[in-house]
Amino acid sequence: MVLFSTSAMAQSLTEFARNARSLGMGGVYIPFVSGADAVFYNPAALSKVEGLDIKLAEIGVSLNSLSKEDIDELQNFDPNDPNTYNSLYGKRVWLQATAKAAVAVGNFAVGYLQDAEVSLELHNPTYPQFETYFRHDTGYYLGFALPIGPGTHLGMAAKKLNRWGGVMQELSLTDVSNASTIDDIGSRFDDKGQGYGIDLALATTIDLPLLKPTVALVWQDVGNTAFTKTEGDDSPPHITQNLSLGAGVTLDLPGIDLSVGGEVRHLLEPDIETGKKFHLGAEVSLPVIDLRAGFSQGYFSYGAGVNLFILHIDAVSYTEELGAYPGQTSDNRYMVSVGVDLSFDADFKFTDNQGKRRKLKQRR
């Protein structure tokens, strides 16, 4: 949920750089994020870093659900033969890839982000066109958290963003057939820009013996993040500010954690249908395996993760609503991610990954 798309892709609330843990929990994350990852989602949570946390890398790939028949039809597509594309109308191809790295020391963190999204859909049988979307973002983050009361912290992240694309393009079959290389298609997405944004966050955690309830308010891209043109004819579209309220509670027991929470996002946008703003989720964390389930935009999601010392592998199945309200136009999607984290407590002893920060001996 780092960046909010303002593209013309229906009314999809696709949010950039979400990870598999969040998606598996129905999109819930800001009450539970910790470690260096907090610089991207909730900078107030940097207060949870007691020593040194290094996210060496986290790479995730998401794609929507296509049947074997759909894939075969795409492979047989010939723009010069109408018989090969009649069955492709309304078949949407979508792909997103994200890579992150970050370092947090105490209440301060720096982060680096790469996020790309591509979609393609053939429509308009009278005059066939591919509705094509491409966006690539590179982000540099600097964040910190300050205590302002018992268990309460204020966080801020400043970011520099370089964006390429971000606007829907209509490509005719002639445009596709005349393209000799992929660069010929890519040349239609020449608009690039640079922008600077601010994220603010406020979080309160009550540290009880077993339960740890947290309430967080995160305001991303305060006042909208605009881009100044660096290449092309126009600057990329701005990123609309996103105010989110999240609450969650974690039951911390020897060898197992249970987390349950919810979020309401896009609170500053009354035009978005209310049902698309709500997210609920839960996670059960065992010594090696994490199990997740959630409810987002009217659809269920589920996922799992495997923690192998500093390595974590996560997978999720979820649904994105592309229409104006839940249940109108669903798009089933899958994501797989692999990450490597190194975490040390204040005494420079290893803790586990995935933000739970329990000592390794407790997970045996």
Side-chain angles (χ1 to χ4, degrees), residues 134 164 171 175-176 178-190:
F134 168 79
W164 176 13
L171 301 180
D175 295 330
V176 175
N178 289 340
S180 57
T181 66
I182 191 65
D183 290 337
D184 293 335
I185 300 297
S187 64
R188 295 179 174 272
F189 298 88
D190 278 345

Side-chain angles (χ1 to χ4, degrees), residues 4-81:
F4 171 59
S5 171
T6 59
S7 73
M9 298 173 61
Q11 293 195 32
S12 171
L13 300 186
T14 300
E15 294 165 329
F16 309 151
R18 292 179 298 175
N19 61 19
R21 183 186 180 198
S22 168
L23 292 170
M25 299 175 68
V28 179
Y29 200 40
I30 62 175
F32 305 120
V33 64
S34 62
D37 214 28
V39 73
F40 303 111
Y41 304 98
N42 175 8
L46 292 171
S47 61
K48 300 178 183 179
V49 180
E50 298 179 352
L52 173 66
D53 188 86
I54 304 173
K55 179 178 287 294
L56 290 178
E58 182 177 289
I59 299 173
V61 177
S62 305
L63 69 161
N64 65 335
S65 176
L66 291 174
S67 67
K68 182 180 182 301
E69 291 74 16
D70 293 337
I71 296 174
D72 291 340
E73 290 169 352
L74 288 170
Q75 291 176 337
N76 295 327
F77 171 74
D78 181 355
N80 297 311
D81 182 1

Side-chain angles (χ1 to χ4, degrees), residues 145-304:
L146 297 174
I148 60 174
T152 303
H153 292 79
L154 177 68
M156 185 180 78
K159 55 193 178 185
K160 174 185 175 183
L161 302 171
N162 296 320
R163 169 166 288 190
W164 176 13
V167 176
M168 191 73 71
Q169 297 276 2
E170 297 284 358
L171 301 180
S172 68
L173 293 177
T174 301
D175 295 330
V176 175
S177 61
N178 289 340
S180 57
T181 66
I182 191 65
D183 290 337
D184 293 335
I185 300 297
S187 64
R188 295 179 174 272
F189 298 88
D190 278 345
D191 293 342
K192 297 181 179 181
Q194 186 177 93
Y196 297 87
I198 295 291
D199 297 340
L200 298 176
L202 180 66
T204 297
T205 299
I206 302 175
D207 194 359
L208 301 176
L210 293 178
L211 297 175
K212 292 179 174 59
T214 297
V215 177
L217 184 68
V218 179
W219 188 6
Q220 295 173 312
D221 298 285
V222 176
N224 301 335
T225 297
F227 293 93
T228 300
K229 182 182 71 173
T230 56
E231 292 184 35
D233 298 325
D234 297 298
S235 59
H238 70 269
I239 302 169
T240 303
Q241 58 188 344
N242 181 8
L243 182 64
S244 303
L245 176 64
V249 61
T250 297
L251 176 62
D252 191 353
L253 299 173
I256 184 172
D257 282 353
L258 173 62
S259 300
V260 179
E263 286 184 26
V264 184
R265 300 208 284 266
H266 309 292
L267 292 173
L268 300 178
E269 299 167 80
D271 293 338
I272 296 177
E273 205 276 333
T274 302
K276 295 183 66 175
K277 299 181 179 182
F278 283 90
H279 308 264
L280 300 171
E283 177 185 59
V284 177
S285 296
L286 302 171
V288 177
I289 298 175
D290 300 322
L291 303 175
R292 308 174 183 114
F295 188 74
S296 173
Q297 297 184 351
Y299 304 99
F300 288 102
S301 64
Y302 57 91

